[in-house]
Amino acid sequence: MIDSVSTPALAAPAIEVNGLSAGYDGRVVLKDVSFSVRPGEIFFIIGGSGCGKSTLLRHMVGLNPPLSGTVRFLGRPFSQADAKARRELLKTFGMLFQNGALWSSLTLRQNVALPLEEYTTLSPREIDEIASLKLGQVGLSGFGDYYPSEISGGMRKRAGLARALALDPDIVFFDEPSAGLDPVTSRKLDELIRQVRDTFGTTIVVVSHELASIFDLADRVIMLDREQQGIIAEGPPRELAANSRDPRVSEFLHRGDKLA
Amino acid sequence: MAVDPEIPTHAARASAAMAGDTLDVSLAGDWQVTALRPAWLEVVGDRQPAEVRLRAAELGSWDTSLLLFVFAAQEWCRKENVRCDTDALPEKVRRLLGQLTSSHETSVPVDRSENFLTTVGLATQDVGRKARDISNFVGECVLSASRLVRHPKKFRWRDCLEEMQQCGAMALPIVSLVSLLVGVTLAYTGAIVLRQYGGDIYIADLIGLSMVREMGAVMTAVVLAGRTGAAFAATLGNMKANEEIDALEVLGIPAVQFLVLPRLLALGVMMPLLSLYANALGICGGLIVAYGLLSIPGTAFWAEMLTIVDLSDIATGVIKAAAFGQIIGLAGCLRGLQAERSASGVGRAATSAVVTALLLIIVADAIFAVLFNALGL
């Protein structure tokens, strides 16, 4: 049974996941997962290590085919869409990978410019200007000509975010944005995520087990559990921490109180 | 007083004494896993107690070494049906001992063995899957290439030029050396036979024909399979491990279009050029041997060679080289994209790329030999 704290329904969902089962090589990791994310929401997928957070994200964005179930973005089917429709939807979202996943043979400017070159008919000068603007938004002005190997881990993540924002997407996915970062850099990245949402109204989906980020940023969370292979709690994190009767949820979220 | 460094002052000690039917074992000193410790069987000797009581006396620092000793005592007691009393040991020792006992009891080895039929079945499935992967990959490359013909602006020309430099210009020294030496070796081997029949001059035909039709393309392909094919697999495998390929997919940019086609085109252009260059170097190697060993003048060598080598021979070599180039590129890129997301996975992909390329090059060479023979080329 899902431990749920209800929140009022607002606009039509930006993301709808229905009955999604996910896994690799015949091994089922998640079974029958359903949830929706509202436009402009900062939505966290949380849970302990190995519970399937990143697996869920990879299946949502199409990096792995779902075993069953559907994913819809902005009301349009994604997981079962044909190649053309899928490509159109891919334009509407960006993703920041755990280690930035910048293309190592390209400079930061070229990394940010590539999606624009692929999907727009802008002139090289305009693309260059947009790339500089995006790098500036994440605090990397002047680093456009650096290669990923020449900058720190935190800077790589910010550059990855600039690339994810290049096409002004409606939805941005973050896979463990705090992983490998010190607490100060991690909080700065959190602040950047909030700015993106507040400025552009972007829907944000974050996979994380970083409690400070969860309580600081999340409007709503779903919590996954490895044993149950699915969602065990859904709702705003503070309300879940205060009202949840599930000991797994309370234990996970109250460690945050202790840390704070 | 001088202290002998060989004898530790606080070495682990276990002394045993019988008190009625009970064997009282006192543990003392520092128990370190990196130092020597008493053996339980030596401590107990040939005594047959009804109970063993372990206690700490002047116990210094201790680690797993003490646990192993106590565990051995417990196991002996269990086998001999003797009661083992550890209550007098420190609480931490007893707690860790409990963990050691439970891990010992639950650590049943996982049976990963498979019967013969399962192994054969899985291997057969694997062959089918690999064949399907290769045909899918080749098909994807052809479709992407046709899309790029319609939209040439989408092609990564800069990447292609960089790859051309890497697999072409940068390979010149090794290709030069190998080709020259192949020419020299062929000439020496040929000279042994031809001199017996007074046909020294035909060394030019042997060198010219074998280099242009066969050795130029094959030796260049072997060099590039080891050099460029492995590099492609390692680069793409590393990109996969770093999620760079995933980042392309999420952006809707096919990895084949972005990463594979520039490399295939680069090899498609550079392999024939390198092969022609290898032909020239191989012929030069043969010429050096012909002049030095058989005293055949350069002009005579050249004139004789031209009586047998014509444009169709050069064309067959170039066609082979282009095909070998595509094989090297496809094998390298496919293995790179299939690599596991780990350092060892990247290494295996590079090895597999070279082996696959060499195997396919030899198969293709045999097919070409039959085909050109049938066509009268």
Side-chain angles (χ1 to χ4, degrees):
Chain A
M1 195 181 118
I2 296 173
D3 193 354
S4 167
V5 175
S6 62
T7 44
L10 297 170
I15 304 168
E16 287 172 274
V17 175
N18 281 311
L20 185 81
S21 293
Y24 309 100
D25 305 324
R27 190 172 65 91
V28 179
V29 178
L30 294 167
K31 268 192 239 168
D32 199 23
V33 171
S34 298
F35 63 91
S36 60
V37 183
R38 291 188 283 270
E41 191 172 35
I42 298 183
F43 186 86
F44 270 61
I45 299 169
I46 65 172
S49 298
C51 69
K53 303 186 294 290
S54 293
T55 300
L56 175 59
L57 191 66
R58 289 182 67 85
H59 283 74
M60 282 170 70
V61 301
L63 286 173
N64 295 100
L67 302 176
S68 63
T70 58
V71 179
R72 296 170 74 87
F73 290 123
L74 309 166
R76 287 178 282 171
F78 175 71
S79 51
Q80 276 132 351
D82 60 35
K84 196 178 171 192
R86 201 180 172 89
R87 195 172 147 83
E88 282 303 308
L89 276 171
L90 286 172
K91 281 194 275 187
T92 65
F93 66 75
M95 180 158 173
L96 174 60
F97 289 84
Q98 238 182 67
N99 297 311
L102 296 170
W103 298 301
S104 45
S105 60
L106 306 182
T107 63
L108 300 193
R109 192 190 315 283
Q110 289 167 338
N111 262 281
V112 179
L114 186 66
L116 296 162
E117 288 168 1
E118 186 64 25
Y119 284 112
T120 69
T121 52
L122 296 169
S123 69
R125 195 180 55 80
E126 289 169 317
I127 287 175
D128 210 39
E129 278 173 9
I130 293 175
S132 297
L133 172 72
K134 297 292 174 188
L135 285 170
Q137 281 175 351
V138 297
L140 287 175
S141 295
F143 286 92
D145 294 326
Y146 282 63
Y147 283 92
S149 59
E150 297 172 324
I151 58 175
S152 69
M155 290 164 85
R156 273 202 285 275
K157 289 210 175 176
R158 279 189 280 154
L161 179 57
R163 185 182 65 188
L165 297 175
L167 292 169
D168 291 325
D170 297 310
I171 305 163
V172 182
F173 296 92
F174 294 80
D175 187 8
E176 304 273 10
S178 306
L181 297 183
D182 64 78
V184 176
T185 312
S186 186
R187 293 293 78 75
K188 282 181 182 168
L189 194 62
D190 286 351
E191 196 45 48
L192 210 52
I193 293 170
R194 194 199 309 281
Q195 273 177 20
V196 169
R197 193 276 300 268
D198 293 348
T199 311
F200 304 105
T202 312
T203 305
I204 307 280
V205 178
V206 186
V207 161
S208 180
H209 51 209
E210 181 81 14
L211 289 164
S213 302
I214 294 166
F215 284 108
D216 188 31
L217 280 181
D219 294 323
R220 226 154 40 92
V221 304
I222 53 167
M223 182 169 171
L224 303 178
D225 181 68
R226 182 160 56 174
E227 301 295 317
Q228 199 159 313
Q229 296 184 319
I231 300 172
I232 55 167
E234 183 172 357
R238 289 189 192 283
E239 290 181 29
L240 278 178
N243 305 329
S244 175
R245 291 180 298 276
D246 189 325
R248 295 166 295 183
V249 180
S250 320
E251 191 190 5
F252 185 90
L253 292 173
H254 282 139
R255 289 189 85 83
D257 294 347
K258 285 176 193 166
L259 288 171
Chain B
M1 194 178 79
V3 176
D4 186 347
E6 292 295 316
I7 303 170
T9 52
H10 298 289
R13 299 183 303 281
S15 52
M18 290 296 288
D21 285 345
T22 304
L23 181 68
D24 215 349
V25 182
S26 300
L27 306 171
D30 295 333
W31 291 69
Q32 305 293 332
V33 79
T34 50
L36 287 173
R37 65 179 158 83
W40 167 253
L41 289 177
E42 285 175 16
V43 171
V44 72
D46 53 4
R47 282 174 281 222
Q48 293 291 328
E51 182 182 359
V52 171
R53 189 183 302 143
L54 295 156
R55 63 187 178 85
E58 297 173 24
L59 187 63
S61 62
W62 58 271
D63 60 15
T64 318
S65 175
L66 180 66
L67 294 179
L68 293 174
F69 179 84
V70 179
F71 185 68
Q74 277 188 327
E75 287 291 290
W76 183 87
C77 289
R78 196 170 52 80
K79 276 183 196 152
E80 299 292 324
N81 208 17
V82 171
R83 187 170 175 274
C84 185
D85 180 3
T86 56
D87 290 351
L89 289 174
E91 199 259 330
K92 281 183 186 171
V93 175
R94 279 183 282 125
R95 200 172 59 234
L96 285 168
L97 197 63
Q99 287 177 7
L100 181 64
T101 309
S102 61
S103 70
H104 194 78
E105 283 165 357
T106 55
S107 59
V108 180
V110 179
D111 182 9
R112 297 184 192 279
S113 62
E114 284 163 352
N115 66 37
F116 177 71
L117 282 177
T118 310
T119 309
V120 171
L122 288 174
T124 311
Q125 269 188 339
D126 197 44
V127 169
R129 189 176 50 78
K130 280 179 179 164
R132 198 174 59 242
D133 285 348
I134 291 175
S135 55
N136 282 348
F137 182 66
V138 172
E140 204 178 335
C141 289
V142 171
L143 287 176
S144 281
S146 66
R147 272 199 297 272
L148 283 177
V149 169
R150 294 196 300 274
H151 307 285
K153 279 188 179 173
K154 295 273 182 193
F155 189 68
R156 307 279 307 168
W157 292 106
R158 210 193 61 154
D159 292 355
C160 184
L161 287 174
E162 275 178 19
E163 291 301 336
M164 279 182 183
Q165 188 194 2
Q166 280 297 322
C167 71
M170 303 295 277
L172 279 177
I174 183 79
V175 170
S176 307
L177 182 68
V178 169
S179 311
L180 190 75
L181 293 180
V182 165
V184 168
T185 311
L186 275 177
Y188 263 109
T189 315
I192 294 167
V193 179
L194 293 171
R195 283 176 95 176
Q196 292 176 9
Y197 299 101
D200 297 12
I201 189 65
Y202 297 113
I203 195 84
D205 299 350
L206 173 74
I207 297 294
L209 209 56
S210 53
M211 281 309 298
V212 167
R213 284 189 73 96
E214 195 67 39
M215 297 308 284
V218 170
M219 292 315 293
T220 309
V222 168
V223 169
L224 287 207
R227 192 182 177 279
T228 308
F232 284 0
T235 306
L236 267 58
N238 203 31
M239 287 182 77
K240 191 175 177 191
N242 290 336
E243 297 182 310
E244 292 176 44
I245 308 270
D246 290 341
L248 281 173
E249 282 187 34
V250 167
L251 272 172
I253 303 172
V256 166
Q257 176 194 316
F258 188 79
L259 299 169
V260 179
L261 289 186
R263 286 170 168 80
L264 287 183
L265 183 64
L267 270 177
V269 173
M270 296 317 291
M271 260 299 289
L273 293 177
L274 280 174
S275 156
L276 288 172
Y277 175 74
N279 293 345
L281 263 289
I283 290 167
C284 284
L287 181 62
I288 292 166
V289 173
Y291 184 72
L293 191 70
L294 306 172
S295 304
I296 298 170
T299 48
F301 183 96
W302 183 252
E304 176 56 33
M305 193 182 74
L306 289 186
T307 62
I308 195 148
V309 175
D310 59 22
L311 269 180
S312 71
D313 296 317
I314 296 172
T316 56
V318 168
I319 290 168
K320 277 185 185 180
F324 294 163
Q326 295 310 292
I327 287 171
I328 294 165
L330 286 168
C333 293
L334 175 65
R335 295 301 182 220
L337 291 174
Q338 287 175 334
E340 289 169 30
R341 295 168 190 269
S342 64
S344 60
V346 174
R348 275 197 296 275
T351 308
S352 175
V354 177
V355 173
T356 308
L358 290 178
L359 182 73
L360 292 178
I361 284 166
I362 291 165
V363 171
D365 196 34
I367 293 170
F368 275 127
V370 174
L371 189 68
F372 289 148
N373 186 49
L375 294 173
L377 285 170

